[in-house]
Amino acid sequence: MGVTDPAGPVMDRDEVDRALARLGQEHEAIETSLLALQDHAGRRLLEGADLAGVTEERWQAAEDRITLLWTYFDAYTAALRSAREIRARRRWSSREDLAELTGLLRGESVTVTGSAVGRLSESFTLPALVDRMNELYATSLDVIVAADAVWSALPARIDLLAAELKRTRGLAHSVGVRPGEHPAGDDLERITRTLTRLREDVVADPLAFWVPAKGSSAPGGGRPDTTVYDREARALEDVRREIDAVLTVRQDAEARLIRLRDVLSRADRTLAEARTARGEVLAKIAATEVPVVSGPPTALQEQLAAAAEYRRQAQWHRLSPLLESLERKAEDELLRARESLTAVTAPLAVRAELRGRLDAYKAKTARHGLAEDPLLVERYDAARRMLWSAPCDLRVAEQAVLRYQRAAAEALGGASAPQDREGDQS
């Protein structure tokens, strides 16, 4: 470190004293900051960690800057000490002392040897050296604060998620959800591998998980990158819901199997009734098409037996989707059976409707004293024979009922004879 000739006017004693006071305050502030930097928890962690990737590169550069920072600070301290010694020579400094002090305080009086790569020495004014130290301090602190922020946030969260993952894996094992046997088991294995790798990467290379804040000049301005963590947390939540569904199956599997057996039994009984009804229709109704009734759903019965076996073997992960599928199919089968019964018995319903209409008109004519009318008796008997004989031709029987309705309407003095089945039935 050397002293150059002062440039510009020589400072007076008051200017020198004020400059020394200011530099002393700056020196104290810089020293406090440097000691705090040395004692920063993040710095101690970086020094003791087995680093990799971008963090290893940036920390190596930061360590070089911190070493240089102390070199600059030592030079700054020596220059300040020299200036104080010159000022302390006399109570009233001589012109020569003031000239020397002006050179120290305002000129490029501080020369640091080997301070930068490719340079043998650097010369600074004291204010320029302070600016340089502040720059080095800020960039070094930025690395330390960012790494410390990631280490403070992510590993703990990863550990909490890993603990939840362990509990979920225990639940999954209890209900038979295992890797290679169930997608959720495969997902748990993948999440486990990803979290293990993520924690290792965060510990070794925290700065790879740091997102700087745009436009921020504050040291460590930014936030930890939680993208991978958040994705795996959501995946674990999805698996947990799936495991909960399987646990629910374990709790109410027997009741659901009983309900399934009941629904399929009702479907079987309905189909049996439809088959019986079809035989009756074929015997009693002529000239009509009667749909064929299918047999019982043997495939569903086989699946129901498989579900019962899964329950017996506690294979809940297999039972859960099978029960959901069976419940839908069983309700569809019962609906199909009911529709089949309705379709098969439709001709009997038509015959019953015609019988009811014939008897209703007969009762109406009887109330008006026309029960013995020869034409009405003849047409009633003809229609009744057709409707109460087997096989019954519905089309012919319907025409016979209509003829009776017309005759009854004329006998009762109706305004017009009915032309179809929608005629007067009052």
Side-chain angles (χ1 to χ4, degrees):
M1 182 181 70
V3 179
T4 64
D5 292 333
V10 175
M11 301 170 67
D12 61 28
R13 285 186 295 272
D14 289 340
E15 289 176 322
V16 167
D17 289 342
R18 286 196 298 271
L20 286 173
R22 183 181 70 255
L23 290 170
Q25 292 173 350
E26 289 178 345
H27 179 273
E28 184 177 347
I30 293 171
E31 184 178 35
T32 300
S33 297
L34 287 175
L35 292 174
L37 186 67
Q38 285 293 106
D39 198 43
H40 197 290
R43 183 180 189 277
R44 293 199 300 271
L45 288 172
L46 284 164
E47 285 182 330
D50 186 11
L51 301 176
V54 64
T55 305
E56 183 179 22
E57 293 179 16
R58 292 187 62 188
W59 174 237
Q60 182 60 57
E63 282 191 307
D64 293 342
R65 287 195 297 272
I66 292 171
T67 299
L68 182 58
L69 186 54
W70 279 105
T71 300
Y72 284 162
F73 180 71
D74 290 342
Y76 179 85
T77 302
L80 180 60
R81 183 172 57 250
S82 295
R84 284 172 171 170
E85 288 173 353
I86 294 171
R87 180 64 184 88
R89 288 175 186 169
R90 303 174 184 82
R91 181 177 179 184
W92 304 101
S93 298
S94 66
R95 174 110 184 141
E96 290 77 11
D97 290 344
L98 292 175
E100 188 174 0
L101 284 169
T102 301
L104 277 173
L105 297 177
R106 289 184 174 173
E108 291 187 352
S109 59
V110 184
T111 300
V112 183
T113 303
S115 61
V117 176
R119 298 185 187 178
L120 295 177
S121 64
E122 288 181 290
S123 295
F124 300 93
T125 64
L126 285 173
L129 186 57
V130 170
D131 291 341
R132 179 63 175 145
M133 285 191 288
N134 284 336
E135 178 188 345
L136 291 173
Y137 174 81
T139 53
S140 301
L141 183 62
D142 184 72
V143 172
I144 294 171
V145 170
D148 187 50
V150 173
W151 277 335
S152 297
L154 271 178
R157 294 174 69 179
I158 293 170
D159 289 343
L160 288 174
L161 191 60
E164 177 62 22
L165 174 62
K166 183 178 179 181
R167 288 192 292 271
T168 303
R169 292 184 66 170
L171 286 173
H173 184 78
S174 71
V175 294
V177 174
R178 298 179 179 86
E181 298 179 7
H182 192 280
D186 297 335
D187 288 342
L188 287 174
E189 283 298 300
R190 183 193 58 75
I191 294 170
T192 300
R193 291 193 300 270
T194 301
L195 285 183
T196 300
R197 185 171 61 253
L198 177 63
R199 196 184 195 288
E200 293 172 353
D201 291 345
V202 166
V203 170
D205 193 7
L207 295 183
F209 297 87
W210 182 251
V211 181
K214 293 181 179 179
S216 174
S217 59
R223 61 174 180 79
D225 183 357
T226 61
T227 303
V228 177
Y229 169 86
D230 293 338
R231 184 190 67 214
E232 298 309 312
R234 289 192 298 270
L236 180 58
E237 179 61 25
D238 291 341
V239 173
R240 181 54 191 261
R241 282 197 294 268
E242 191 168 350
I243 300 302
D244 286 342
V246 175
L247 285 170
T248 301
V249 169
R250 183 172 67 176
Q251 293 168 359
D252 60 11
E254 181 58 25
R256 291 173 71 180
L257 285 170
I258 290 173
R259 286 196 298 270
L260 270 171
R261 292 189 187 99
D262 178 63
V263 172
L264 290 177
S265 177
R266 280 187 285 155
D268 286 347
R269 291 196 302 271
T270 303
L271 287 174
E273 184 180 350
R275 285 191 291 273
T276 301
R278 186 173 188 273
E280 181 182 354
V281 169
L282 290 174
K284 295 181 178 181
I285 306 297
T288 185
E289 300 241 350
V290 184
V292 176
V293 180
S294 65
T298 55
L300 292 186
Q301 292 294 346
E302 291 172 357
Q303 291 178 24
L304 182 59
E309 183 64 17
Y310 287 154
R311 180 185 179 279
R312 190 184 68 79
Q313 296 179 359
Q315 295 186 21
W316 310 112
H317 64 290
R318 298 181 184 275
L319 180 59
S320 176
L322 182 56
L323 277 179
E324 292 179 4
S325 172
L326 271 173
E327 284 167 342
R328 292 191 301 270
K329 292 177 180 178
E331 290 295 337
D332 291 343
E333 181 61 25
L334 180 57
L335 177 61
R336 185 183 68 83
R338 288 170 173 168
E339 290 174 344
S340 181
L341 178 60
T342 299
V344 164
T345 57
L348 294 177
V350 172
R351 187 184 67 172
E353 189 272 334
L354 290 173
R355 286 176 173 181
R357 197 194 315 173
L358 181 65
D359 287 342
Y361 263 89
K362 184 174 185 286
K364 185 175 181 179
T365 58
R367 287 197 303 272
H368 288 80
L370 300 172
E372 302 302 327
D373 183 284
L375 179 61
L376 293 180
V377 170
E378 176 190 348
R379 292 194 176 180
Y380 174 80
D381 289 342
R384 194 178 192 285
R385 279 194 304 274
M386 293 178 188
L387 288 171
W388 268 267
S389 62
C392 171
D393 189 324
L394 290 177
R395 289 187 292 273
V396 175
E398 183 179 26
Q399 292 303 316
V401 171
L402 285 172
R403 286 196 296 272
Y404 177 71
Q405 284 183 252
R406 293 189 190 99
E410 290 173 0
L412 293 169
S416 62
Q419 299 299 313
D420 52 33
R421 291 176 57 186
E422 300 303 322
D424 180 13
Q425 299 181 38
S426 61

